[in-house]
Amino acid sequence: RGTPHPLPLETIKGVTVGPIENSLQPGRGYGTPYSEALLNHLARMGVNWISVTPFGRIWSLSSTEIYMDFESPYEENRKAIRRFIEQAHARGMKVLLVPHLWVWNEQGWRGEIHFGSQAEWEEYLQSYRAFLLLWAHDAASAHADALSIGVECTSWSWRFREFWVNLIEEVRSVFPGLLTYSANWDEVWDAGFWDHLDVIGVNAFYPLAHHPNASFEEYLGNAEKVASELELLSKVWSKPLLFVEVGYTSRLNAGVEPWLWPDGMTGVRESEEEQARALEAILWALGKRKWFIGFFVWRYYANLDDLSQEPPWGFSPHAKLAEKVLMQLFSSPFEWDLKDGWFGWVERRGDGVQLGQIMALWGSTAAYPTNSTR
């Protein structure tokens, strides 16, 4: 098993930055003056991490080949992402790289990928391995700080444990940063390889209500239930937990089925208040937990003022009430920031680490010790 990576000392308070998926807007994506303006805005908000999402694509849910040229040719995309990472680092931000898969014909979701034979599965697994290792090499050469090894692989994260473990070890051999996986919110108990990663990662589109017109108190109550369930998950695997994605659309009843994609909605009633209170409820509930290492809000775009990526009731909190709520959260200490958070986590692991050693461990190239026996 590869050496685990040291955990961040401060809470990750980040946002996901999406590419500009529009060929009619060249020069407005990652690594451009537009993304510099975005980062300046995020820095003023108090953001300390960003997530970057390059996409590969497959033709359908039964296709075994992954193509590297979703939003732009691969070589062009990787250079743009390298420039974007440099821009973020120049502003004191750290970067999580999250390679995604997109179903090209849009007839399904990547979490439903399935094959009818073992031979097809093997072909797909090798294609996925090549896809991820390319981005792992790119993440290392661009000095990204963290990497997600997959996103919502719901139909196969519980299968092929040997494949996943071997892939993680291969990634560790080329990428020195923090490793996680982006599990869909209803997948977190199924993924069978958390013991080989540094942090449990969740795409946290949790419903906060199951009926219209729910009160803020109901949102808070359901957010506390989510936190309690995830606390058990953290204890089972002895790992801290990260929201790799968390977001709600700015529409009425945003806490009901928050995973619904805004582009397909009709007859929508916009509501900035609903988006703001949903984000406040879930992040308030999790921020009080000592094992919660942080979050990335879904999402902003590389061109801050672009209006072509999603409808007005979409996920972006920019220039909405939710942005003001987020600024308050970014400036507030979470439990992970406090002595009983990160320091207490290391102490509770039973690794024999003394508090006086922590800064030395953080400053050294050696990772913190581990007593995992899984």
Side-chain angles (χ1 to χ4, degrees), residues 254-301:
V256 180
E257 297 184 308
W259 55 85
L260 294 178
W261 204 243
D263 292 355
M265 297 178 181
T266 58
V268 177
R269 293 178 58 187
E270 295 179 40
S271 173
E272 293 185 16
E273 291 78 9
E274 277 286 279
Q275 180 188 43
R277 69 178 190 152
L279 281 169
E280 183 177 9
I282 193 73
L283 294 176
W284 173 258
L286 272 294
K288 298 184 295 181
R289 309 293 174 131
K290 297 175 182 179
W291 42 265
F292 184 64
I293 198 170
F295 61 93
F296 291 88
V297 175
W298 183 270
R299 67 181 170 163
Y300 283 71
Y301 292 93

Side-chain angles (χ1 to χ4, degrees), residues 121-139:
W121 271 114
E122 288 297 331
E123 187 175 340
Y124 171 74
L125 293 180
Q126 291 310 308
S127 184
Y128 187 84
R129 172 182 171 274
F131 163 73
L132 186 65
L133 286 176
L134 272 175
W135 281 114
H137 280 280
D138 291 337

Side-chain angles (χ1 to χ4, degrees), residues 24-339:
L24 299 179
Q25 298 191 46
R28 300 191 182 189
Y30 295 144
T32 66
Y34 287 88
S35 63
E36 285 195 296
L38 165 75
L39 291 171
N40 289 338
H41 177 76
L42 297 180
R44 289 191 294 268
M45 288 177 60
V47 170
N48 62 4
W49 280 72
I50 61 166
S51 168
V52 185
T53 58
F55 281 83
R57 59 191 171 104
I58 57 173
W59 174 250
S60 71
L61 296 176
S62 58
S63 302
T64 61
E65 185 174 0
I66 298 173
Y67 299 89
M68 300 293 293
D69 58 347
F70 176 71
E71 61 264 2
S72 61
Y74 167 61
E75 286 299 324
E76 179 182 323
N77 197 24
R78 66 193 292 264
K79 292 176 182 177
I81 286 175
R82 176 192 287 269
R83 292 194 299 270
F84 190 39
I85 291 173
E86 291 172 352
Q87 291 172 349
H89 283 165
R91 289 158 177 79
M93 298 176 188
K94 295 186 177 181
V95 180
L96 166 66
L97 191 70
V98 188
H100 280 55
L101 288 184
W102 189 264
V103 183
W104 198 7
N105 64 12
E106 299 185 3
Q107 299 299 310
W109 165 57
R110 58 184 159 264
E112 302 168 319
I113 288 171
H114 184 71
F115 304 100
S117 69
Q118 185 63 28
E120 289 175 305
W121 271 114
E122 288 297 331
E123 187 175 340
Y124 171 74
L125 293 180
Q126 291 310 308
S127 184
Y128 187 84
R129 172 182 171 274
F131 163 73
L132 186 65
L133 286 176
L134 272 175
W135 281 114
H137 280 280
D138 291 337
S141 64
H143 305 292
D145 303 280
L147 176 72
S148 172
I149 64 162
V151 178
E152 298 166 358
C153 304
T154 309
S155 61
W156 59 287
S157 62
W158 52 274
R159 310 171 72 169
F160 315 116
R161 175 175 163 81
E162 183 178 1
F163 167 82
W164 283 109
V165 170
N166 290 339
L167 179 61
I168 292 167
E169 294 309 299
E170 282 192 273
V171 170
R172 286 204 189 274
S173 71
V174 299
F175 177 72
L178 194 78
L179 288 187
T180 190
Y181 165 74
S182 308
N184 199 48
W185 65 275
D186 59 356
E187 177 200 356
V188 293
W189 288 99
D190 297 327
F193 43 82
W194 293 126
D195 51 331
H196 285 260
L197 296 171
D198 302 309
V199 175
I200 296 171
V202 185
N203 285 1
F205 298 95
Y206 287 96
L208 299 179
H210 300 283
H211 62 85
N213 304 315
S215 67
F216 183 57
E217 288 70 25
E218 288 179 90
Y219 275 18
L220 283 172
N222 285 312
E224 289 290 346
K225 291 178 183 178
V226 169
S228 295
E229 178 184 336
L230 293 177
E231 181 166 7
L232 179 59
L233 180 72
S234 175
K235 287 181 177 179
V236 166
W237 290 102
S238 295
K239 301 284 181 181
L241 187 139
L242 170 71
F243 280 176
V244 183
E245 297 176 12
V246 60
Y248 294 88
T249 51
S250 48
R251 60 178 172 87
L252 202 64
N253 302 312
V256 180
E257 297 184 308
W259 55 85
L260 294 178
W261 204 243
D263 292 355
M265 297 178 181
T266 58
V268 177
R269 293 178 58 187
E270 295 179 40
S271 173
E272 293 185 16
E273 291 78 9
E274 277 286 279
Q275 180 188 43
R277 69 178 190 152
L279 281 169
E280 183 177 9
I282 193 73
L283 294 176
W284 173 258
L286 272 294
K288 298 184 295 181
R289 309 293 174 131
K290 297 175 182 179
W291 42 265
F292 184 64
I293 198 170
F295 61 93
F296 291 88
V297 175
W298 183 270
R299 67 181 170 163
Y300 283 71
Y301 292 93
N303 178 3
L304 184 64
D305 296 317
D306 181 83
L307 301 176
S308 69
Q309 305 303 298
E310 63 179 19
W313 56 84
F315 285 99
S316 174
H318 178 50
K320 300 175 184 175
L321 181 60
E323 191 168 66
K324 296 180 180 179
V325 171
L326 290 173
M327 290 175 68
Q328 293 177 337
L329 288 166
F330 290 142
S331 64
S332 301
F334 280 36
E335 283 296 317
W336 188 263
D337 296 310
L338 307 178
K339 181 179 183 297

